[in-house]
Amino acid sequence: MDVANGPRERSGRESPTGEQSRLALLVAESSVIICTGSGGVGKTTVAASIAMEAAAQGKRACVVTIDPAKRLADALGLRGGLSNEPRRIQGPWSGELWAMMLDTKSTFDALVAKYAGDPQQAERILKNRFYRNISGALSGTQEYMAMEKLYELHEESDFDLVVVDTPPTRNALDFLEAPSHLTRFLDHRLYRLLTAPGRGALRAVNLAAQAFLRTVSRVVGSEVVEDAIAFFRAFEGMEDGFRNRAKKVDELIASPGTAFVLVTSPRRDTLEEARYFAEKLAESGLRVQALVVNRMHPRFGEPRSADANRERARTFAGKPLGALYENLADLQTVRGREEEHLQGITALAPDAAVVMVPFLETDVHDLDGLARVCRHLFD
């Protein structure tokens, strides 16, 4: 195991604002932080920065991504990539920083092995063709396995903080609802008929269900249906384990130690998406505790000065100074529009800490880049 070298270097900038301090306190007090937001707003970078801050605070932190596009490994500057097992990241912090990328199938296999009544039952499921087809590709499987991995890391890996980088917003809702989807599936009448004990495959179901299965067989083939029935029958007896686990995952998400950080950009469309997600969370009795507005353009004077600077640009038309004034006016206009979009942003999450991160000169591809983001978030 590596030895940490010391605290994350501080920037020497001015004291943190109240909002930055509130975000740092949220990191200190939470055991799970779920980062969510639209695609392309820098959510992965913010998640990694939060985990880095936790390590700087002396915590044992792990950031996990569901995104197979390797953005987390890229943000951490890892050439070897990440796997389904947490990988220790070395750096100048007093705590520990770990990272991993979810492998849906490996997680599903481990869960089957965990809840199977004996090794033979686990083997029957793992070798079933229907299971092999759905375990890594079925819609919703990835979201449920992500929840499972989150629970496993929180309960069994002794991490002080688990930071989750979720899929883009709408899929993030699937992520949050995955445990209840599984429970409803296990309670579904058709599932109970297919797994009814003491009956044989298609004979196990009533006439209506047999008609349904014959229709499905004509579409996907009888072998697929037989494999599916064999899978469900092999699954018999494991339902309580999955159902209880789903209940515990739901409880973890709703617990006081779990915090939601909503990441957005100052663009109108991403703010609308953020508003949608905040509303959906509220409907579920959950709330956003921090809002990060990423990639704000810098302020070059007051946005209302844009017209005056554009007039100066016309005065110096054809000269280098004219182009500079035109550029300045453009930047002030962009900043002004962003501030308009952000008006009323606190209504998204009235009690949330709101922190702005400026547009950086380059993308984040290493720990130094993450440290820069950290300074804007926390210092």
Side-chain angles (χ1 to χ4, degrees):
M1 182 170 288
D2 303 322
V3 178
N5 301 317
R8 178 172 67 81
E9 293 181 356
R10 300 291 177 179
S11 65
R13 296 165 60 216
E14 64 272 20
S15 300
T17 65
E19 299 298 282
Q20 291 169 318
S21 297
R22 288 177 62 196
L23 182 58
L25 185 62
L26 187 69
V27 173
E29 294 181 343
S30 300
S31 57
V32 173
I33 290 181
I34 298 175
C35 293
T36 188
S38 305
V41 296
K43 179 164 42 64
T44 303
T45 301
V46 171
S49 300
I50 287 173
M52 179 184 277
E53 167 64 16
Q57 292 181 8
K59 301 181 77 169
R60 190 167 185 264
C62 180
V63 54
V64 53
T65 184
I66 304 168
D67 183 0
K70 300 182 180 179
R71 292 189 180 90
L72 179 59
D74 187 44
L76 291 165
L78 299 176
R79 293 183 178 177
L82 293 167
S83 70
N84 203 45
E85 293 299 322
R87 173 179 172 179
R88 178 84 180 265
I89 312 298
Q90 297 185 54
W93 32 73
S94 58
E96 296 179 13
L97 175 61
W98 298 73
M100 61 161 289
M101 182 176 72
L102 179 76
D103 181 320
T104 302
K105 188 176 186 312
S106 297
T107 304
F108 206 162
D109 289 353
L111 210 59
V112 167
K114 182 182 183 70
Y115 289 117
D118 52 55
Q120 291 72 29
Q121 183 185 23
E123 187 176 0
R124 284 197 302 275
I125 295 174
L126 296 176
K127 288 185 175 179
N128 181 276
R129 284 182 297 184
F130 178 78
Y131 170 78
R132 293 205 302 270
N133 286 331
I134 68 164
S135 55
L138 186 68
S139 175
T141 305
Q142 185 187 47
E143 287 77 11
Y144 180 70
M145 290 306 135
M147 275 295 190
E148 283 295 331
K149 182 57 72 173
L150 164 62
Y151 186 80
E152 176 190 315
L153 291 171
H154 179 265
E155 294 293 319
E156 303 171 9
S157 298
D158 198 29
F159 287 114
D160 301 314
L161 174 67
V162 180
V163 184
V164 182
D165 168 34
T166 66
T169 309
R170 307 271 168 155
N171 290 334
L173 291 173
D174 293 336
F175 167 76
L176 296 175
E177 294 169 354
S180 57
H181 285 323
L182 175 72
T183 303
R184 285 199 295 273
F185 172 73
L186 293 175
D187 292 335
H188 196 278
R189 181 168 174 266
L190 180 58
Y191 173 80
R192 294 203 306 274
L193 285 170
L194 291 172
T195 57
R199 304 179 188 178
L202 289 172
R203 293 192 303 276
V205 297
N206 61 20
L207 292 176
Q210 287 188 38
F212 168 75
L213 290 173
R214 281 197 296 271
T215 302
V216 174
S217 297
R218 284 195 289 272
V219 175
V220 301
S222 60
E223 287 187 354
V224 174
V225 173
E226 289 169 3
D227 285 343
I229 292 175
F231 164 70
F232 290 131
R233 288 176 59 77
F235 203 76
E236 185 182 341
M238 296 171 58
E239 297 91 337
D240 287 346
F242 275 83
R243 193 180 284 109
N244 291 336
R245 184 83 163 205
K247 182 173 180 290
K248 290 179 180 177
V249 171
D250 266 342
E251 290 172 352
L252 173 62
I253 296 303
S255 71
T258 297
F260 286 86
V261 174
L262 187 52
V263 184
T264 185
S265 76
R267 285 173 29 185
R268 188 187 300 277
D269 58 338
T270 59
L271 284 166
E272 286 302 315
E273 191 77 359
R275 190 184 310 280
Y276 170 82
F277 190 74
E279 290 172 353
K280 289 297 179 184
L281 272 184
E283 289 173 6
S284 301
L286 305 172
R287 63 191 179 89
V288 176
Q289 282 145 296
L291 182 66
V292 175
V293 184
N294 195 22
R295 298 173 181 163
M296 285 288 294
H297 280 81
R299 176 187 284 273
F300 295 99
E302 291 297 322
R304 60 177 176 272
S305 303
D307 289 342
N309 285 320
R310 215 173 294 283
E311 182 60 32
R312 290 192 187 95
R314 282 193 283 271
T315 302
F316 294 99
K319 299 178 182 178
L321 196 56
L324 291 175
Y325 270 121
E326 189 68 38
N327 192 36
L328 175 60
D330 288 344
L331 288 171
Q332 288 173 326
T333 299
V334 170
R335 174 71 187 207
R337 286 174 182 163
E338 290 177 347
E339 292 183 356
E340 288 177 11
H341 297 161
L342 290 172
Q343 288 179 4
I345 190 173
T346 53
L348 283 179
D351 302 325
V354 180
V355 180
M356 311 284 181
V357 178
F359 218 122
L360 302 180
E361 298 88 343
T362 60
D363 290 336
V364 175
H365 293 300
D366 53 30
L367 296 182
D368 289 340
L370 279 181
R372 290 187 64 197
V373 177
C374 277
R375 287 195 284 272
H376 290 292
L377 287 171
F378 302 105
D379 290 357

